[in-house]
Amino acid sequence: MVAQVIDGKAFAAKVRAQVADQVAKLKEENGITPGLAVVLVGEDPASQVYVRSKGKMTVEVGMNSYEHKLDADTSEEDLLALIDKLNNDPAVHGILVQLPLPKHLNEDLVINSIDPAKDVDGFHISNVGLLGTGQKSMVPCTPLGCLMMLRDHHGSLSGMDAVVIGRSNIVGKPMAQLLLGDSCTVTIAHSRTKDLPDVVRRADIVVAAVGRPEMVPGDWIKEGATVIDVGINRIERDGKNKLVGDVDYASAAERAGAITPVPGGVGPMTIACLLANTLTAACRANGLPEPEG
């Protein structure tokens, strides 16, 4: 068996095109332009790349992009004051504080200072609680992108056995909630799970989000399973830097029915879902029907 490649790059381009069409319609019919504010504290190289990419794609779909770049030694008081200003700015519908923050800043305090209705990352404790109880919320972008790819590939996920490897608040836990919402039977596995290979082998769906390069070998994968690899790990191989996932792609692709590549799988969907969340937030803020799809 040779796995079907789930092309996240192509799917994300389709999502962004849909968002752009709906943004144009929102402008034409209601005179509203969704606005996304991104706050970057410090000069983490990876974060700078992400912020540039987010800003570029925000503009490409017709939204307003507001970038706030702060020094690494910015005080918590000043950062919270900026977030308060953005919370009260009607032109800003989505607020994203790029993580990780410098160590002197309390990430939980900062994230929970964002207006939950503008929390397009879906990290605010209110959105976490709403998602966990099956209510309308802002959904974290990476798990949302994974779910969209799974739905696109399978149609209905009802009754499928899903294993999520990783229990982070950003991916693992919300991914499990979304899969439960689609009537999967869900196991959250992690580094201390007993007989982890056997747990993974029974899964129809494997979502790997553990942050360890190529931790999941192909012989852990059930024949025909769908593998969603969230990991993005930079390693050195044959004297060259290379990006790999949490799954050993070559061996897993021989057993899986479908698999996401790294790069070009989950990553592009994260930004596409951020834009979709910003559009949703703009519609909700103005009492308009939420965009479909």
Side-chain angles (χ1 to χ4, degrees):
M1 176 180 290
V2 178
Q4 177 183 339
V5 177
I6 299 176
D7 189 341
K9 192 173 181 181
F11 193 18
K14 179 181 172 183
V15 173
R16 292 198 307 273
Q18 290 174 331
V19 170
D21 287 345
Q22 292 174 2
V23 167
K25 183 179 177 182
L26 191 62
K27 289 181 182 179
E28 182 181 347
E29 296 182 0
N30 303 97
I32 297 165
T33 301
L36 173 63
V38 177
V39 180
L40 174 63
V41 185
E43 298 180 356
D44 178 78
S47 292
Q48 288 180 323
V49 171
Y50 290 144
V51 167
R52 274 198 303 273
S53 182
K54 288 168 183 171
K56 179 173 177 283
M57 292 187 185
T58 301
V59 173
E60 284 178 356
V61 298
M63 296 183 184
N64 290 329
S65 175
Y66 307 103
E67 293 185 10
H68 298 268
K69 296 180 181 179
L70 307 178
D71 293 337
D73 60 357
T74 296
S75 70
E76 199 162 78
E77 182 182 5
D78 287 346
L79 177 55
L80 294 175
L82 172 60
I83 292 172
D84 185 61
K85 180 181 176 183
L86 297 174
N87 283 340
N88 290 289
D89 185 345
V92 174
H93 302 98
I95 301 170
L96 181 150
V97 177
Q98 184 66 43
L99 302 178
L101 291 171
K103 295 194 181 301
H104 69 283
L105 299 172
N106 182 327
E107 286 191 357
D108 289 339
L109 177 65
V110 170
I111 295 304
N112 288 321
S113 71
I114 298 172
D115 179 347
K118 296 187 178 188
D119 167 39
V120 286
D121 254 341
F123 295 163
H124 191 288
I125 191 66
S126 294
N127 283 319
V128 173
L130 290 168
L131 178 63
T133 52
Q135 300 180 68
K136 185 167 71 175
S137 68
M138 281 294 170
V139 179
C141 303
T142 299
L144 179 58
C146 294
L147 183 71
M148 290 171 67
M149 288 191 289
L150 286 166
R151 285 174 173 173
D152 183 68
H153 179 70
H154 285 287
S156 173
L157 306 181
S158 180
M160 298 184 77
D161 194 327
V163 170
V164 180
I165 310 173
R167 50 181 166 176
S168 73
N169 292 331
I170 292 174
V171 180
K173 291 175 185 176
M175 186 75 248
Q177 296 288 356
L178 290 174
L179 290 167
L180 280 171
D182 268 32
S183 300
C184 291
T185 299
V186 182
T187 301
I188 301 180
H190 46 79
S191 60
R192 298 193 181 184
T193 299
K194 290 183 178 180
D195 300 321
L196 180 59
D198 287 339
V199 170
V200 177
R201 283 189 190 106
R202 71 168 187 252
D204 304 309
I205 295 168
V206 178
V207 180
V210 72
R212 294 187 183 180
E214 299 176 332
M215 173 185 154
V216 180
D219 65 4
W220 289 17
I221 304 301
K222 183 169 84 171
E223 287 279 353
T226 301
V227 178
I228 305 293
D229 192 348
V230 181
I232 302 178
N233 309 286
R234 192 175 297 277
I235 64 168
E236 187 175 314
R237 180 171 290 161
D238 301 325
K240 297 179 180 178
N241 284 328
K242 184 179 180 182
L243 285 178
V244 299
D246 292 348
V247 176
D248 179 36
Y249 183 87
S251 62
E254 293 178 359
R255 294 178 59 84
I259 189 169
T260 58
V262 177
V266 174
M269 284 298 295
T270 298
I271 296 180
C273 289
L274 172 67
L275 301 175
N277 277 354
T278 303
L279 173 62
T280 296
C283 291
R284 290 178 181 174
N286 289 278
L288 298 171
E290 293 184 23
E292 297 179 0

